[in-house]
Structures are given as structure tokens and as C-alpha cells.
Amino acid sequence: MKLITFTHNRQTRIGAVVDDEVVDGFGGSALPASMIEFLSAGTSALEALQKLIDSGSHRLPFTEVKVHAPVPRPGKYLAISLNYAEHIEETGKEKPEYPTFFNKQTTCVIGSGETIHRPKVSEKLDYEGELAFVIGKRCRHVPQEQAHQVIAGFTIANDVSVRDWQARSPTMTLGKSFDTHGPLGPWLVTPDEIIDPHNLTIKTWVNDELRQNSNTRHMIFNCYQMIAYLSQVMTLEPGDVIATGTPSGVGVKMKPRGYLKPGQTVRIEIEGIGELCNTVVEEPKDFVKNNFLEL
């Protein structure tokens, strides 16, 4: 099942993608409207949505909906650094003994098709194509061999990074959390459709130039190890997003530097999931007018 968060006729809700249509979860009166609520409802919600899919009713053309990130505002967005050997090699750093995580603030999340802003304060804007997974069950102290049971599904992430701001702090959080710098999507693929999350081809293009080309089998710490490690520290909850690291080919390590420029499009494709696509623009002057007065 491909779970999606979308807007149609000014109403935002969840649904499922089937071929070139969206099965509208609004047609199932018992279905929660938000992805976090839907995942929290567990098996009963999935079964209700499957019945709606099987009915063949409540369909919308995919072209008539606005796609959002599958989880537009996750409770947590955690990402791991230095998790592919070839990426470690290109950075010149040592292989980490333990998984090294950082936070992306959840206000950075956008969906496929939305624009990435090159911020006013830096031109060192970079991409990182990554597999991400979403937690489906509230859990703590999860054994590695049971970790697959708490995954709701898999999606694509672009860990957009502002490299000079990233370097200002050992936590990297500021350089990873600019608004619009957390593209996720286009949907959430349930685990039954992913035979092995640790054997998926991952590719990143900037315009038509292939920049990253790898496979998730090259991850140092796999998805289940990440869950076991993180859940020793914190309670993981439905809707939490965990990005699994990027392979080699990032812009900062190119010669000359391959930083993103306005007008360029970043397209990330992961086998069995689909394609996440976002175009870069200069940060709009009026971006904050509906939130805070710009001084």
C-alpha cells in the first residue's frame, strides 16, 4: 500500500495511491484525517483503508490533488550521519563506532513538488538522497530482531544541508533544519511491498546529472539496528521519521563544488518506492509574512 497525505477541495486527509488515482480516505468515515492519527490507529485503520481500496470507489485522479509529505509534521525527525562507507571515504572521516544521530527540526518538512529555498544567509546549499522509514507503533527497548514490527513504511528523504551552518556546531542541527530543507515523499510504502529495505537502488540527479548512485545494502548500520539503538534512549512514536544516511556524491565534495542553485531540480529515486522531486528557488522575500514580521 502507498499511503499519501494530500489536499483536495481545501481538505487535507490521508489516502492510498493506486495506479494513477488516489483512494480518498475521506470516503471511509471511520478513517482518521492525519497520517499520525491513522498510523496510531494501527491494524484496524489499515484494514478499513484496504476495504476502501477493494471497493473501487472514492477515487480521485492523482493530477487533481496536492501532494504533501506523508507525515507533514512528525513528532521527531532523526537522521544518521556517516552511514555509507563510500560517503565516509569522500569526507575523509573515520568510520563511527556507534550510530551518530542528529535532529532535523520538523518545520523543515515539505512534500514532493514543493520548492527548496536557497536561504538568504548562505549559498552552500547541498542535497543528500536517503531512504527514510516511519515508525508505526509506540515502542521502547526494541530488540533488533523485532524492529521490523514497528516500521509503518518507507519513503524518500532529501536531507538538504546548508554546509557552512552545519559546520558551525558539532550537532549539525542548524545546518540541517532550515525551512523547506526536509523534503519527504512522495508517499509512504508499507513494508509488505518492500522485500528487503537493505537492498534498494538509490539515485540522485541534479537536473539531468546523476550525482549519487548506490544501494542501501552499503549502509553500515541498518534500519533495525537504528531502531534498537534509538529505542534504548527514547520512546519512538507513530509518525516519527528516521533518515538512514546518504551515499557518496554530495555536492560539497565535488570539484568544483556542486552546490545547488536556483532553477535546479533535485530528483531522488529509490527502487520500490518512487521519486521525490523538488526545485530550488531563492528564499522568497514574503516567505515569513504569514508567520512573523520580518525585521
Side-chain angles (χ1 to χ4, degrees), residues 195-215:
I195 296 174
D196 182 2
H198 306 118
N199 187 22
L200 302 175
T201 300
I202 177 170
K203 297 180 179 180
T204 303
W205 289 264
V206 176
N207 289 345
D208 294 326
E209 181 184 2
L210 181 62
R211 297 276 187 96
Q212 295 182 293
N213 186 2
S214 189
N215 189 289

Side-chain angles (χ1 to χ4, degrees), residues 258-287:
Y259 291 131
L260 295 173
K261 299 178 176 60
Q264 291 182 322
T265 296
V266 184
R267 180 166 55 92
I268 304 166
E269 181 182 283
I270 297 182
E271 179 183 359
I273 299 178
E275 183 178 284
L276 175 67
C277 192
N278 302 87
T279 297
V280 180
V281 299
E282 292 281 11
E283 181 182 332
K285 293 181 179 179
D286 62 350
F287 179 64

Side-chain angles (χ1 to χ4, degrees), residues 43-62:
T43 303
S44 61
L46 281 168
E47 290 176 348
L49 183 55
Q50 186 61 59
K51 287 181 180 179
L52 199 60
I53 293 171
D54 295 341
S55 74
S57 60
H58 301 287
R59 304 278 178 117
L60 299 167
F62 189 84

Side-chain angles (χ1 to χ4, degrees), residues 83-84 86-88 90 128-131 202-204 212-215 218 245-250:
N83 200 33
Y84 282 76
E86 67 267 29
H87 179 51
I88 294 172
E90 73 176 352
E128 292 189 6
E130 306 193 10
L131 173 70
I202 177 170
K203 297 180 179 180
T204 303
Q212 295 182 293
N213 186 2
S214 189
N215 189 289
H218 299 305
T246 198
S248 61
V250 294

Side-chain angles (χ1 to χ4, degrees), residues 3-4 34 54 65 80 103 121 152 159 173 187-189 192 211 227 242 269-270 277:
L3 304 174
I4 188 173
S34 79
D54 295 341
V65 307
I80 190 172
N103 289 88
V121 295
D159 179 18
T173 295
W187 40 63
L188 184 64
V189 180
D192 58 293
R211 297 276 187 96
I227 290 170
I242 301 173
E269 181 182 283
I270 297 182
C277 192

Side-chain angles (χ1 to χ4, degrees), residues 76-80 101-104 130 132-133 230 234 236 240-244:
K76 305 181 195 69
Y77 188 160
L78 297 160
I80 190 172
F101 287 95
F102 58 89
N103 289 88
K104 288 179 75 74
E130 306 193 10
F133 61 88
L230 286 168
M234 67 192 76
L236 299 176
D240 288 350
V241 173
I242 301 173
T244 63

Side-chain angles (χ1 to χ4, degrees), residues 60-232:
L60 299 167
F62 189 84
T63 55
E64 293 184 7
V65 307
K66 175 177 172 53
V67 178
H68 302 288
V71 188
R73 188 61 66 86
K76 305 181 195 69
Y77 188 160
L78 297 160
I80 190 172
S81 65
L82 301 177
N83 200 33
Y84 282 76
E86 67 267 29
H87 179 51
I88 294 172
E89 183 178 352
E90 73 176 352
T91 64
K93 297 182 179 179
E94 294 184 1
K95 178 181 175 180
E97 182 178 359
Y98 301 104
T100 304
F101 287 95
F102 58 89
N103 289 88
K104 288 179 75 74
Q105 300 305 304
T106 60
T107 46
C108 76
V109 173
I110 60 172
S112 187
E114 297 186 70
T115 54
I116 295 168
H117 296 173
R118 185 170 77 170
K120 299 175 183 179
V121 295
S122 178
E123 294 185 350
K124 295 182 178 181
L125 183 67
D126 210 348
Y127 54 86
E128 292 189 6
E130 306 193 10
L131 173 70
F133 61 88
V134 175
I135 297 297
K137 297 179 181 179
R138 192 169 188 269
C139 58
R140 182 84 195 273
H141 294 296
V142 182
Q144 183 178 322
E145 60 273 16
Q146 296 178 17
H148 66 281
Q149 298 175 12
V150 306
I151 295 178
F154 299 89
T155 191
I156 305 171
N158 186 351
D159 179 18
V160 180
S161 306
V162 183
R163 295 302 188 189
D164 49 348
W165 281 70
Q166 176 183 340
R168 292 182 184 185
S169 168
T171 67
M172 301 189 292
T173 295
L174 290 181
K176 299 284 191 172
S177 296
F178 279 68
D179 288 347
T180 77
H181 290 188
L184 291 172
W187 40 63
L188 184 64
V189 180
T190 52
D192 58 293
E193 294 197 11
I194 303 293
I195 296 174
D196 182 2
H198 306 118
N199 187 22
L200 302 175
T201 300
I202 177 170
K203 297 180 179 180
T204 303
W205 289 264
V206 176
N207 289 345
D208 294 326
E209 181 184 2
L210 181 62
R211 297 276 187 96
Q212 295 182 293
N213 186 2
S214 189
N215 189 289
T216 58
R217 66 173 175 266
H218 299 305
M219 288 194 293
I220 295 169
F221 303 104
N222 68 37
C223 300
Y224 309 143
Q225 290 171 318
M226 293 183 210
I227 290 170
Y229 191 73
L230 286 168
S231 68
Q232 292 180 76

